[in-house]
Structures are given as C-alpha cells and as structure tokens.
Amino acid sequence: MTSDSEKTSRGPARVLGADPAALAEAARVILAGGLVAVPTETVYGLAADATNGAAIASIYTAKGRPSFNPLICHVADLAMAESLAHFSPLARRLGERFWPGPLTLVLPRAPGCPVHDLATAGLPSIGLRAPQHIATLEIIRRVGRPLAAPSANPSEQLSPTTAAHVAAGLGSRIDLIIDGGRCSAGLESTIIAPGEDGAVMLRAGALPRSDIELLTGPLRSPDHAADIVAPGMLRRHYAPRARLRLGATAPESGEAFLAFGPPPRGVSPSLNLSIRGDLAEAASNLFSMLRALDESHDAIAVAPIPESGLGEALNDRLRRGAAHSRENEL
Ligand code: TXA
Ligand code: MG
C-alpha cells in the first residue's frame, strides 16, 4: 500500500459504489494496510484493519487526530465482538438487542485481543459496534477482522453523511471511498459503558437514551474523576466554520436561519431541519444542512430543539459546534 506522503501527492481517492466487486476491492485495500471510507447508518467511517498498527497510524495522520483519542472497532456481529472484549450479562443483552445498530459499547479488552494498542490509545478498554449497513458488514466479513473506523472527517470538523462530504474533507489522503448513499440516521452512535452498578452514557447519539434505559435502568453521566470517559468528547468538536447561535427564534442581520418545525410568522428560514418537527428527520439533516449554510454564511442562527429523544444528541452536537466558534474568537 502507499505511504502517507504518496497518498497526499496522488490526487483524489477512487470512489466506487457498493456492488460486490467494489466491496471485494475495499476488503483487499484494507488487508493491504490501506484506508477506505465506508458507509454506516450513522456517519461515514474511515476504516482500516484494527490489528495493523501502521494502518491505524495512518488514520490518525489523515484525520489530524490526536493519538490519545481511541477509535471505535467495527465488528460483523456479537460473536466477533466477544472475541475482542469481556461481555458482562448486561453488555451481552445490549449487543443482542441493538446490534447491528447505532450503539457503541465500551468494554474491558479480552486477554489476547488482537486489536492494536494504537487503536485503543493504550486503554484497557475497547469501543465496539456492529454497524447497520449491509455494504460495511460485508466488508468486515470479507476482511475477517475488526475495522477501526472513526468518522471520516478531518478532526474537529463536521461528520460526513454522504460520500461527497468524505471526498471534500479527506479525498486526497485516503485510498478508496465506498459510496453507500446518504447515512440514514445522520448522527454518530450512542456510546455506553455498562458497569457493575448500571451503565454510563459517554456520548449521546443516534440511539435515544430511553431505548437503552429499558435494559440498563437510568444511565449515569460520566464521572470525570473516575477513569471511564470518552477521550474524544472534547468540547471542540463537530464544528462548522461559521459562528453558531442556538435557541434563536429569528435570524439577525447577516445570519442564516436553520429552522426546526413550522417557522415563526414572517420568518423565512434558509433551511429547515424538519418542517414537521420530527427529530429523526432533523438528525439525518443536521450535518449536511450545517455544511450547506457554512458555505454561504459566516453566522448561523439555529431554532430551539427539544431535549427529548434524539434531541439530546442533536443539542449536544450543536452546543459543541457553538462552543468551538466562541473559542475561535478568543
Ligand atoms: O457512529 C459512530 O460512532 C461513527 C461510525 C463511523 O461508527 N464513529 C465515530 O467515531 O463517531 P469517532 O472516532 O469520531 O468517535 C469515537 C468516540 C470518541 O469520542 C472516543 O474517545 C470514544 O469513541 N471511544 C472509543 N474507544 C473508547 C474507549 N475504549 N473508551 C472510551 N471512549 C472510547
Ligand atoms: Mg468523530
């Protein structure tokens, strides 16, 4: 496979559809140590063989990501996951109920787990999920190993929900992009660490809290004094270039207006996350609409979004994006 410097000098990555020949090619590139952007139901991932240290190192380089921030390892099914991590009865129930799907479980690494230390950033734990996209499940089966895959965007920028977003952000730094269409959920997975006394929610995401709590009971917030935190949950994250103003009822001069639900009288939104006020539709539109407005505006006013259901994850991403804008002004 090519080295990083060759990749950067070599021009845009190839883009293939999700037909069997393309999936076979994706598996071949990954087994040779290359980087392939793959579709999932949440966002596109930048995948490499999780057991290959050099390939993992090139993920961090391509994204400009700090190497203390561990990667999620993607598996084909629960059986593959159980060869990598220790599953408590609760963890197993969560995997059985929600995989394939937008739930990442942070679990103790199993003895002899073949995933490279660089993928887990040297932690004794590992983040695992089985994605719900037939193309990527098929690539994992063909590779026969877990795939380490962070979201396929330059570090701290908006996550990609189409192959075109991936090409725009990382196109010249990776080997191949598998175009599996637009991501159906549009927000990253929910990250849970199931423990002895209940479970901790490390990141709100595409699987709503209430669905998980049916199995876990009330989810706790991460205790930063204890050791279980998601190192990637830096405030600076998911940020457009434009300044974000949240909870806005109308745009001010120079601002784009990103609405949610029927707009207030006399206000014409630039874009609407969901005219019906549907949170799932809003989640699937969030990153692509922020990208579109970011291209034409320096400031974006965003309508209030309720905290219920998927609103928790939507508001989390918006707050992180807004925090980033303020830091930039300092
Ligand atoms: O939906 C998703 O989760 C997407 C798709 C591609 O699967 N992936 C994704 O990966 O969002 P990334 O790298 O952008 O975010 C992974 C998060 C980071 O916040 C990281 O710190 C956390 O997962 N994480 C991974 N392994 C962990 C571990 N062992 N302990 C705690 N946090 C972990
Ligand atoms: Mg990410």
Side-chain angles (χ1 to χ4, degrees), residues 243 245 250-257 297-301:
R243 184 166 47 79
R245 186 167 66 85
E252 286 168 6
S253 145
E255 287 181 333
F257 185 53
H297 291 79
D298 292 330
I300 306 170

Side-chain angles (χ1 to χ4, degrees), residues 36 78 102 110 142 238 301:
V36 180
L78 188 55
R142 282 172 183 264
Y238 311 103

Side-chain angles (χ1 to χ4, degrees), residues 63 65 151 153 159 188 203 237-238:
K63 278 183 63 87
R65 176 175 174 127
S151 50
N153 53 287
S159 295
E188 297 83 354
R203 176 174 77 182
H237 227 100
Y238 311 103

Side-chain angles (χ1 to χ4, degrees), residues 38-46 63 65 68-74 102-107 119-121 123-129 131 149-153 159 187-191 193 202-203 206 227-234 237-238 317:
V38 297
T40 83
E41 80 283 31
T42 60
V43 300
Y44 274 74
L46 181 57
K63 278 183 63 87
R65 176 175 174 127
F68 58 79
N69 186 5
L71 309 177
I72 294 172
C73 292
H74 295 71
L103 176 68
T104 294
L105 296 176
V106 171
L107 301 171
T120 52
L123 293 172
S125 59
I126 182 168
L128 293 170
R129 90 175 186 99
S151 50
N153 53 287
S159 295
L187 283 180
E188 297 83 354
S189 60
T190 306
I191 306 182
L202 301 180
R203 176 174 77 182
D227 55 0
I228 301 176
V229 289
M233 295 312 286
L234 310 164
H237 227 100
Y238 311 103
R317 302 303 186 271

Side-chain angles (χ1 to χ4, degrees), residues 91-257:
R92 190 166 296 118
R93 281 201 299 280
L94 287 164
E96 282 167 354
R97 172 70 183 81
F98 294 114
W99 284 352
L103 176 68
T104 294
L105 296 176
V106 171
L107 301 171
R109 278 177 74 128
C113 168
V115 168
H116 197 277
D117 271 348
L118 202 47
T120 52
L123 293 172
S125 59
I126 182 168
L128 293 170
R129 90 175 186 99
Q132 192 172 39
H133 195 294
I134 47 170
T136 296
L137 286 173
E138 180 59 22
I139 295 170
I140 301 169
R141 281 189 209 105
R142 282 172 183 264
V143 171
R145 297 178 194 166
L147 299 186
S151 50
N153 53 287
S155 192
E156 298 182 2
Q157 296 184 15
L158 294 169
S159 295
T161 54
T162 66
H165 295 164
V166 178
L170 293 177
S172 60
R173 299 167 176 222
I174 66 182
D175 295 294
L176 178 63
I177 299 172
I178 296 295
D179 186 349
R182 195 184 141 104
C183 301
S184 56
L187 283 180
E188 297 83 354
S189 60
T190 306
I191 306 182
I192 299 293
E196 302 275 294
D197 48 350
V200 178
M201 185 159 84
L202 301 180
R203 176 174 77 182
L207 186 64
R209 168 191 290 274
S210 54
D211 291 19
I212 301 166
E213 288 184 332
L214 292 176
L215 290 192
T216 58
L219 288 167
R220 287 183 287 118
S221 300
D223 171 2
H224 287 270
D227 55 0
I228 301 176
V229 289
M233 295 312 286
L234 310 164
R235 254 168 39 112
R236 245 167 96 100
H237 227 100
Y238 311 103
R241 192 188 40 80
R243 184 166 47 79
L244 288 184
R245 186 167 66 85
L246 307 184
T249 44
E252 286 168 6
S253 145
E255 287 181 333
F257 185 53

